[in-house]
Amino acid sequence: MHFAVSLNIAATGQEALDFGQISTFVQQAEAAGVDMVIISDSLTSGEPSTSPFEATTLLAALATVTEKIGLVASASTLAHQPYNLARRFASLDIISHGRVGWNATLRQSSLEAANFSRPAGIPNDDFRRRAEEFIGIVQGLWRGWDADALLFDKAGGRFHDPAKMHVLDHKGEFFAVRGPLNVARSPQDMPVLAMSGLAGADFDFAAGVADVIAIEEPSPEGARATCDDLKKRVLTAGRTADALKVLTTVFAPDLTAARLEAWLDAESCDGLIFAFPADLSAINGFTDRIVPELRRRNSDRSAYYADTTLRAHLGLGDGGAK
């Protein structure tokens, strides 16, 4: 069973977490055998908020103080361009030696839209089509270099093998992107793609492209039903069931000991995501209440400590061109 922690560093009505507090929390999660930490820094409500760091920038710093845990940042398709976002995550994956993932949330935030020249947001159908095109471009750019494309042949004057460089040359409804990235191939073939905030209309698309899907269900029974539904869609998309990991999000501060045991024992999907607000008492509660149980259940995770990439931790296949 896989475990992740999700930390929203956007604080409301309290002092924001500093880097020392965040890095200690992530190191404790790593020591407990948690597969990945998901960092987000945005709110959908109208309350004033403070984020001490931009999420992807924070990943670069966390990569220097951790060794095994996967590092995932949420980034919306509304606030970025596909080329820049693909380049940023590809660079982070090299910095972290293959431990990075992108959490592409498909929920549209009106507050975010207003900061990017779209005060009225984007019509929902347009937003969905735009997001799907955006994600396809990013994955296409990540596949732009074959594993042995870069030669660095000074004597022969060859930087790369042109036959192993793939120009995307995408021209779509919303974007035109030539490619390829001016960043080398990812150490794990390509960064892990996680998706969250899905509506039912997004399930088929997500099942065809995502490595990890985060779902929100109030009970293990509901999580099992949604997980089974998504795994069927994965097969319909021509992928193997193991190509996708479905994780259920639970709000960690609300978990009683009995409730925690119920979720852990049910194994209703591929794992759990323990979600936390930007609150020091909440993350200290994780250390006191949840970490000991995760340590007990992860006592024999030799594969976790042997593997180095996030894809390997999650048991995913490679994601890039050969």
Side-chain angles (χ1 to χ4, degrees):
M1 193 174 190
H2 298 289
F3 298 113
V5 292
S6 176
L7 180 64
N8 189 341
I9 59 174
T12 58
Q14 72 236 17
E15 187 175 350
L17 298 172
D18 61 32
F19 179 70
Q21 293 164 334
I22 295 171
S23 61
T24 297
F25 170 73
V26 174
Q27 288 167 337
Q28 290 168 340
E30 180 177 59
V34 169
D35 293 282
M36 60 184 176
V37 58
I38 304 168
I39 302 291
S40 59
D41 65 343
S42 63
L43 291 175
T44 57
S45 70
E47 299 178 56
S49 66
T50 300
S51 294
F53 312 100
E54 186 274 327
T56 59
T57 306
L58 179 59
L59 291 199
L62 291 172
T64 68
V65 295
T66 57
E67 295 180 353
K68 295 290 184 181
I69 194 168
L71 303 169
V72 180
S74 296
S76 82
T77 58
L78 188 61
H80 303 86
Q81 284 291 313
Y83 186 91
N84 286 342
L85 186 140
R87 185 170 185 259
R88 186 179 309 155
F89 277 97
S91 297
L92 287 169
D93 208 51
I94 294 170
I95 291 170
S96 67
H97 304 289
R99 293 187 287 134
V100 157
W102 169 35
N103 178 34
T105 177
L106 294 190
R107 287 180 181 157
Q108 184 175 187
S109 166
S110 58
L111 293 179
E112 187 173 56
N115 287 327
F116 294 93
S117 304
R118 294 184 179 272
I122 300 176
N124 286 336
D125 287 344
D126 289 352
F127 178 80
R128 180 173 291 110
R129 295 197 316 279
R130 184 182 182 278
E132 291 179 1
E133 184 179 340
F134 189 114
I135 291 167
I137 293 168
V138 169
Q139 288 192 312
L141 290 169
W142 283 341
R143 296 186 181 104
W145 296 96
D146 289 354
D148 54 352
L150 299 183
L151 303 174
F152 302 110
D153 178 8
K154 291 183 179 180
R158 295 192 304 162
F159 171 71
H160 70 281
D161 182 345
K164 297 179 179 180
M165 180 196 76
H166 309 288
V167 176
L168 184 64
D169 198 22
H170 172 88
K171 295 180 177 67
E173 180 181 5
F174 298 96
F175 301 101
V177 180
R178 182 182 183 276
L181 287 180
N182 57 349
V183 177
R185 181 185 172 92
S186 164
Q188 56 179 338
D189 291 315
M190 67 184 204
V192 167
L193 173 65
M195 296 183 70
S196 62
L198 303 181
D202 304 314
F203 277 13
D204 282 337
F205 171 72
V209 300
D211 299 305
V212 176
I213 292 178
I215 63 174
E216 297 178 15
E217 292 288 347
S219 69
E221 295 76 19
R224 182 176 289 108
T226 301
C227 180
D228 290 345
D229 179 27
L230 285 166
K231 291 300 178 89
K232 290 176 182 176
R233 294 172 191 258
V234 169
L235 297 176
T236 300
R239 308 171 74 196
T240 64
D242 288 341
L244 172 69
K245 303 301 179 183
V246 181
L247 308 183
T248 304
T249 301
V250 294
F251 192 60
D254 292 344
L255 283 178
T256 63
R259 189 69 175 153
L260 174 60
E261 283 293 323
W263 274 108
L264 293 173
D265 292 341
E267 297 192 0
S268 54
C269 55
D270 296 309
L272 296 175
I273 300 173
F274 299 101
F276 300 86
D279 181 84
L280 188 57
S281 63
I283 64 175
N284 286 339
F286 168 81
T287 304
D288 297 337
R289 297 186 300 109
I290 298 176
V291 161
E293 182 61 21
L294 296 186
R295 284 183 182 274
R296 183 178 71 81
R297 290 177 180 257
N298 289 339
S299 61
D300 186 22
R301 292 198 68 193
S302 55
Y304 178 85
Y305 296 103
D307 294 328
T308 57
T309 71
L310 179 54
R311 285 190 175 276
H313 292 172
L314 295 174
L316 297 167
D318 54 55
K322 292 300 181 187

